[in-house]
Every structure is written in C-alpha cells, then in structure tokens.
Amino acid sequence: MFPSLKVDATKVYLFIEFTASAFFSMMFVTTSLYEATVAGLTPLQLVLVGTTLEVAAFVFEIPTGVVADVYSRRLSIIIGYFLMGLGFLIEGFFPAFIPILLAQVVWGLGYTFTSGATQAWISDEIGEEPANQLFLRATRVGLTASLIGMGLAMFIGANNVALPIQFGAAGVLAIGLVLIFIMPETGFQPASREDRNNWQHMWHTFNQGLISVRARPRLINILGVGLFYGLYSEGFDRLWVKHLIDNFEIPVIFGNNQVAFFAVLRITASVLTIFAIRFVEKRVDSGSPLAIGRAMLIVTGLIAFAMVGFAISPFLPLTLGLYLVINIFRSVSNPLYSGWVNQKLDPQTRATVHSMAGQVDAFGQIAGGPSVGLIAKFLSVVAAITTSGLLLLPAMLLVGRANSQSMQEADAGEFESVSE
C-alpha cells in the first residue's frame, strides 16, 4: 500500500475540486468544437456520443457505487481519475466517430467510480452537515479553477483544437497519482458482510439502498427531478455549440480558430456563476430540505425558459445572454441537488443512493438524447434544443411535490416536539 501524507480531508476534497475543474474545463471548452469541426460529426452523431457516455454511466453507476460502499471509497475515486484521463487521451488523439465512442465508454466508467463515492467519502470524513456546506464552497472553488483551465485552453488551443484535450487528459491522470499519496480514509466503515459472498454482499448493499429510497417519498420525487434533468440536458450539451456555429457568424479572437471565443464565453459564465453560488450560500439553508427545494423550483423554471429562448432567438447578443443564464443556473443546481439528495441518508448506503441519483440522470440522458438527436436530424437543431427546454418543465411539478412533503415532515416534527 502506498504511504499517505495524511492531508486534511477538506483540503483534499478542495484539491480534487480545484484540479479536476481546471483540467475538465480545459477539455470541455474545446470538446464540442473539436467533435463538430476536427472530427466532423453530424448532429445525430454528436448526440450519440453523449448517449454512449450516459449508457456507460448507467451500466456502471450502481456496481461502482456499491464497490465504494463495500471496499474503499478512496480506492474507487483513484481508479476513477485514472480511467477518466485515459478516456480523454483516446478522444484527443483519435478524431473519428468510433474512437470517440470508445473514449466515452472508458471515461464514463471512470466517472462512475467517482460519482457518489466522492460525496460519500467526504461526508464520512467530516460529517453530513459540514459536507453539505462544503459542496457549495467547493463549487465556488471549482468555478475559480475552471477560469484557469479555460484561460489555458484559449492559448494552448489557439492553433490546434486537440491540444487542450490532450493536456487536460494528462492532468486528470496526474490527479489520480497525487491522490494515492495524500487522500485519507479514516471515517469509512464497510457495510456489514455477515455471511454473504462478495456478489451477494454487493446485491445486499444495493437492495438496502433501494429500501432507503423507498422509505422516503420525498427522495423518490427528488430522484424524479433528476430524471427530467437528465432528459433535457443531453440535447443542449451536445448541440449548443453547433447551433451557434450554424446560425451565427462566430468571431475569431486571439488565434486561428474559434477556441478563444468559446473560452471567453465560458469564462464569463464562470465568473458570474461564482457570484451566484456565493449568493445561494448566504441565502439558502443547506440543512433544510424545504429551503433547497424552493431554490430548485426557481432555478428549474429559469433554465427551461432560457433554453427555449436560446433556441429561437435570432440575435447573437441575446442568444449569448440566454446561454449565460442557462450555464449559471445549471451550475447552481448541481450543489443544491447533491445537498438535497444527501439529506438524512444511512452512511452505509450513502454512496449507493448517490450512485442511484447518477444512474437516474444517466437514464434520462439515454432516453432523451437519441430522441432529441432524431429531431435535430429530421427537423432542425433549433427544434431539438427547444424540445430539450420543454422536457424540463415536468421537473417543476416534482419539485413542488417534494416541497409539499418537506413541509409535512417539518409540521410532523414540530408536532412531535410539542408532544414531548
């Protein structure tokens, strides 16, 4: 076993968020442009690339989440970063449809090793309530780091769109290597094995996660919200860059391609999101399911409205402004949703429940992606993105139901307190 430097868990979590955000943002600034221009993928192929990633996440999410609950969350996270780095290396060096599909499978598998395990690991190390607060703080740290990554991409990719992907992939591999030496694991307690063999134990842990979800009607509705977030997101994520390229004259700045333009756009979104996250940190009680739910209702409505506007707007400045609104509130929704799911979970099934949330999102993207891709093929990219925005509207109903259940739970708690 490699020696550990016993770095404080909060610092390690912030290190992960900072470095991963920097390297992933470096790659994501150019990935859609790279796939649409260098690899020459069609709108349907672009969406199928995303669907392949989500199929991988869907297939592997629960097994890897259970591994994190049964064996080691630390080991699961380290494996995840090595696999994600490998996947991006494949994409960055082989600009063709089939290798890019393979890359999605590899990095999607790696992502599932970190999804759920990371939230569960830090919750075990520092406690549930501090972890919920840390999710918001880490989002701000990550957004700050993403500015560095996007700035680097702007210059690294000025003459070669593939270079930011290649550099970022190497950085993700380096995260896994560093974590071997600095990542502690002192709060982890494997779920009880009793007399079960490994596969029986993994199934038992998964089943306990299902029981945990079924016992909380509010959590069922929250996972339903995650489903519709998955349904809407894939079409937008894969087609927004192509929508801009096809419908507007994109200026070339600081180089010989359009990387700098998209980097500046994402940097602007990140700067604005830092202020938005800070505002949410101050105004939303991360320990209150009802407070989180009310914030989610506002955020969800704004995303849906802005996405439809983004699709149909004929003016580039308005379209870019609506993109910023979408990007900001999507970033705000992520830590809110993680904190919402994380409320009052059994520590032994925490990673599994978080993995279920990831699997629900992946299922939504698997279902929504190809459908939106076919709309893009047979109608238009504008119609596909409009459909994506409309797919988010049912989530608002589920948010409302979850909030009603939170109010009932709060009222019941007050009644019990008075009775005592």
Side-chain angles (χ1 to χ4, degrees):
M1 183 65 67
F2 290 97
S4 172
L5 300 180
K6 297 182 180 180
V7 177
D8 176 71
T10 297
K11 293 179 180 178
V12 172
Y13 186 82
L14 293 175
F15 163 79
I16 293 172
E17 188 68 22
F18 183 91
T19 53
S21 296
F23 291 125
F24 279 117
S25 66
M26 181 188 297
M27 294 183 288
F28 290 155
V29 161
T30 57
T31 297
S32 294
L33 183 63
Y34 170 81
E35 291 172 354
T37 57
V38 178
L41 304 188
T42 67
L44 181 58
Q45 287 176 328
L46 287 170
V47 173
L48 289 178
V49 165
T51 301
T52 302
L53 172 62
E54 296 308 325
V55 168
F58 181 80
V59 171
F60 297 121
E61 185 75 52
I62 292 300
T64 54
V66 173
V67 167
D69 279 333
V70 172
Y71 296 106
S72 167
R73 287 161 186 172
R74 176 182 179 273
L75 176 63
S76 183
I77 293 165
I78 291 170
I79 291 172
Y81 278 99
F82 278 117
L83 287 173
M84 286 190 287
L86 176 61
F88 280 109
L89 278 179
I90 294 171
E91 173 152 0
F93 281 99
F94 301 97
F97 182 53
I98 298 302
I100 289 174
L101 289 183
L102 174 62
Q104 308 312 300
V105 175
V106 175
W107 98 257
L109 171 61
Y111 170 77
T112 62
F113 273 101
T114 65
S115 173
T118 308
Q119 294 93 333
W121 167 76
I122 193 60
S123 295
D124 287 344
E125 296 298 308
I126 68 174
E128 180 181 299
E129 181 61 26
N132 287 344
Q133 296 172 356
L134 183 61
F135 291 150
L136 284 167
R137 179 186 172 193
T139 299
R140 281 194 295 111
V141 169
L143 288 167
T144 303
S146 71
L147 298 178
I148 299 173
M150 288 182 281
L152 289 172
M154 187 164 51
F155 295 103
I156 293 173
N159 297 304
N160 187 337
V161 178
L163 278 180
I165 300 174
Q166 297 165 2
F167 273 81
V172 173
L173 287 170
I175 293 173
L177 181 62
V178 172
L179 289 180
I180 291 175
F181 298 99
I182 71 169
M183 189 175 191
E185 188 169 45
T186 59
F188 174 60
Q189 294 184 353
S192 175
R193 287 183 175 273
E194 298 179 3
D195 296 323
R196 291 176 289 275
N197 63 35
N198 288 345
W199 286 106
Q200 288 173 328
H201 178 56
M202 291 174 70
W203 171 251
H204 173 76
T205 304
F206 171 61
N207 190 52
Q208 290 300 113
L210 281 178
I211 292 172
S212 179
V213 171
R214 289 171 180 168
R216 296 170 174 82
R218 176 172 54 82
L219 185 54
I220 294 175
N221 283 309
I222 291 172
L223 294 182
V225 172
L227 173 65
F228 283 99
Y229 264 77
L231 283 169
Y232 98 88
S233 63
E234 187 63 23
F236 180 79
D237 286 339
R238 297 295 168 171
L239 297 176
W240 75 271
V241 170
K242 186 163 183 61
H243 172 66
L244 291 179
I245 292 173
D246 288 350
N247 292 283
F248 301 98
E249 187 69 29
I250 304 299
V252 175
I253 54 177
F254 304 139
N256 299 322
N257 55 43
Q258 298 162 330
V259 170
F261 172 82
F262 288 102
V264 169
L265 183 61
R266 287 180 180 262
I267 287 171
T268 302
S270 295
V271 170
L272 293 174
T273 302
I274 290 170
F275 292 105
I277 291 290
R278 185 59 180 163
F279 177 83
V280 171
E281 275 188 293
K282 292 181 177 180
R283 297 298 182 92
V284 178
D285 180 2
S286 62
S288 168
L290 183 57
I292 295 176
R294 286 172 174 167
M296 284 293 295
L297 186 64
I298 296 171
V299 166
T300 303
L302 287 171
I303 294 171
F305 174 81
M307 190 170 297
V308 174
F310 173 87
I312 64 177
S313 167
F315 307 110
L316 181 59
L318 177 59
T319 303
L320 297 180
L322 290 169
Y323 167 78
L324 293 175
V325 171
I326 296 166
N327 193 286
I328 291 166
F329 285 103
R330 288 183 73 186
S331 297
V332 168
S333 73
N334 291 333
L336 287 174
Y337 187 76
S338 293
W340 212 15
V341 173
N342 202 46
Q343 299 282 335
K344 301 176 182 178
L345 294 180
D346 181 347
Q348 291 193 328
T349 58
R350 191 186 304 276
T352 301
V353 173
H354 276 287
S355 289
M356 286 179 180
Q359 192 182 41
V360 165
D361 177 80
F363 179 79
Q365 295 194 46
I366 292 167
S371 302
V372 171
L374 290 172
I375 292 172
K377 179 178 180 179
F378 292 109
L379 294 177
S380 67
V381 172
V382 170
I385 295 177
T386 301
T387 302
S388 295
L390 296 176
L391 284 172
L392 189 56
L393 293 178
M396 298 182 69
L397 299 176
L398 292 174
V399 174
R401 289 181 60 183
N403 289 346
S404 296
Q405 290 163 339
S406 294
M407 292 177 66
Q408 292 171 3
E409 291 176 5
D411 291 342
E414 291 178 3
F415 177 78
E416 292 174 1
S417 178
V418 171
S419 298
E420 292 175 357

